[in-house]
Amino acid sequence: MTLAASSMKYKLLIFATALLTLMTPIAASSFGAANISFEQVLGLFTSPFLGADADSTNALTQRIVFELRLPRIALAFIAGAGLALAGSVLQTVTRNPLADPYLFGISSGASFGAVLVLSFFGSQGLVQQWLSESGSHLAEAILRSGWFSHDAWWSWSSLSLPIGAFIGACFSVLLVLSLSGFGRASQVERMLLSGVATSFMFGALTSLVLYFSSPQAAASVLFWSLGSFAKASWQGLVIPAVVVSASILIILAFKRQVIAIQAGDESAHSLGVNVAKLRLYMLVLCSLITAVLVASCGGIGFVGLMIPHTVRLLFPGQQPILITALVGGLFMVWIDVLARCLLANQELPVGIITAAIGSVFFLFVLRHRR
């Protein structure tokens, strides 16, 4: 393929991705339990610009689209973009094409930290259960204060869940680095194996916490841990949107240094890059992205593995950070649409679908590498 043809293909793919990004919120809003056509949704989006009469639009349709479906679409897009970005960075700094927040143990560590917060300090958690059974005056006073009520829990969980998930994710990263060996020549090769072992360990600890939780708390945590955007709201989008947007800017600022690691640690050192420090910073940044997204929508695996590979196939020889984020966001939005529409009157957890697709993709990558 000539240079001109390659450049034209690159521009066409960028244009197609941008066009699909603009049309996806409108198209995805027309899918759901309520029967709303694409034309109705398009009319809701264009009526402010065309000066249409707002009274002519069904108020219930407006509420379904703008208060229920659009926040869900936005959260799915942010989650897909963040996970794809984290996977791309992990694959670059570890020089391992199989690296992924899920397989690397970061997602499992974040899930464990969030599950601890939910199971111990939730509105029906172990702490409230212990206070109810103790019968002491102090316990009764704490319960009467309303700290563990359902409304109070959801008001402070917007900060406690990401903090708990971030602590778990950082602990997972430190464990992976200690198992793979600081400064060893085989560190990069051993990271993925250490991540898989760490993932299994945190998965077992999460199951142990769920076993001792109350049945109500365990049921809600189990569905949440499989990944879902059902509780998306405009207020809950603030922290994920800020974290993912800031992470994109940070990664763009260090893009040259990150790409230099692909050529090897020695080559990056010769270019003046502090490889160990940069790798640690990028791992912590990926931990932050994963922790916030796990706290917002649960554990969703394999997105960080599939999307960077797909983008590299579409854009060979390129390192398009923004395109990777856009493709990841679009992928997650339509996976969520599939989860809502695959079964009648029932919603599948998003993590089940991504795991089913990602496991096949993982085998494909292994076969291709062999």
Side-chain angles (χ1 to χ4, degrees):
M1 183 180 292
T2 63
L3 183 61
S6 178
S7 177
M8 180 60 66
K9 178 186 175 182
Y10 182 73
K11 292 178 181 178
L12 286 175
L13 285 173
I14 291 179
F15 176 76
T17 304
L19 183 63
L20 191 59
T21 303
L22 293 175
M23 295 303 298
T24 287
I26 302 175
S29 297
S30 62
F31 292 92
N35 188 14
I36 302 175
S37 65
F38 178 81
E39 290 76 13
Q40 287 178 292
V41 178
L42 185 61
L44 290 175
F45 277 85
T46 57
S47 57
F49 303 99
L50 299 177
D53 188 4
D55 295 334
S56 63
T57 306
N58 191 312
L60 180 60
T61 303
Q62 279 187 330
R63 185 173 182 182
I64 291 173
V65 172
F66 290 111
E67 296 183 20
L68 296 179
R69 294 185 182 177
L70 274 183
R72 182 170 184 146
I73 291 170
L75 180 59
F77 187 87
I78 293 170
L83 291 174
L85 195 67
S88 178
V89 172
L90 284 176
Q91 290 171 16
T92 302
V93 298
T94 63
R95 300 200 308 277
N96 193 323
L98 300 178
D100 167 74
Y102 188 79
L103 297 173
F104 215 68
I106 298 176
S107 181
S108 298
S111 296
F112 176 67
V115 165
L116 277 181
V117 175
L118 282 169
S119 299
F120 279 88
F121 302 103
S123 57
Q124 295 178 337
L126 294 174
V127 174
Q128 184 188 23
Q129 184 179 352
W130 177 78
L131 291 173
S132 301
E133 294 175 355
S134 65
S136 65
H137 294 293
L138 179 61
E140 292 179 359
I142 294 175
L143 290 174
R144 285 197 302 269
S145 67
W147 287 357
F148 292 94
S149 64
H150 185 271
D151 294 336
W153 156 246
W154 285 111
S155 64
W156 70 275
S157 66
S158 59
L159 287 178
S160 61
L161 276 179
I163 291 174
F166 182 61
I167 293 174
C170 287
F171 185 71
S172 175
V173 168
L174 290 176
L175 189 59
V176 168
L177 290 177
S178 62
L179 289 174
S180 59
F182 288 97
R184 293 183 183 177
S186 60
Q187 179 182 2
V188 172
E189 289 75 16
R190 297 176 59 178
M191 272 187 176
L192 185 63
L193 293 176
S194 303
V196 172
T198 303
S199 179
F200 278 113
M201 184 192 72
F202 279 114
L205 292 175
T206 301
S207 300
L208 182 65
V209 173
L210 290 176
Y211 178 79
F212 288 104
S213 301
S214 64
Q216 297 85 356
S220 62
V221 169
L222 182 62
F223 182 79
W224 169 84
S225 64
L226 294 175
S228 174
F229 303 111
K231 295 182 179 179
S233 63
W234 290 117
Q235 184 180 3
L237 289 175
V238 176
I239 295 179
V242 170
V243 170
V244 172
S245 301
S247 300
I248 291 175
L249 295 177
I250 293 173
I251 292 170
L252 287 174
F254 288 92
K255 182 179 178 180
R256 291 180 180 272
Q257 293 91 323
V258 171
I259 293 176
I261 298 180
Q262 280 188 320
D265 290 3
E266 293 79 9
S267 299
H269 276 300
S270 65
L271 295 174
V273 178
N274 190 331
V275 177
K277 184 180 293 186
L278 181 63
R279 181 175 288 140
L280 181 61
Y281 287 166
M282 290 297 110
L283 288 174
V284 172
L285 183 62
C286 292
S287 300
L288 177 62
I289 296 172
T290 307
V292 170
L293 295 178
V294 165
S296 301
C297 50
I300 302 172
F302 293 102
V303 178
L305 173 68
M306 294 184 286
I307 302 303
H309 280 281
T310 304
V311 172
R312 280 194 287 269
L313 289 174
L314 293 174
F315 302 94
Q318 304 286 336
Q319 293 289 339
I321 299 296
L322 294 178
I323 297 297
T324 302
L326 289 178
V327 173
L330 293 173
F331 172 80
M332 188 57 68
V333 169
W334 289 109
I335 289 294
D336 182 50
V337 170
L338 182 63
R340 287 186 280 132
C341 302
L342 194 61
L343 299 178
N345 302 321
Q346 193 173 356
E347 179 181 327
L348 283 175
V350 177
I352 293 179
I353 300 177
T354 58
I357 301 174
S359 58
V360 177
F361 191 90
F362 185 80
L363 294 175
F364 169 78
V365 174
L366 281 179
R367 179 179 175 84
H368 181 72
R369 290 195 73 198
R370 185 184 67 179

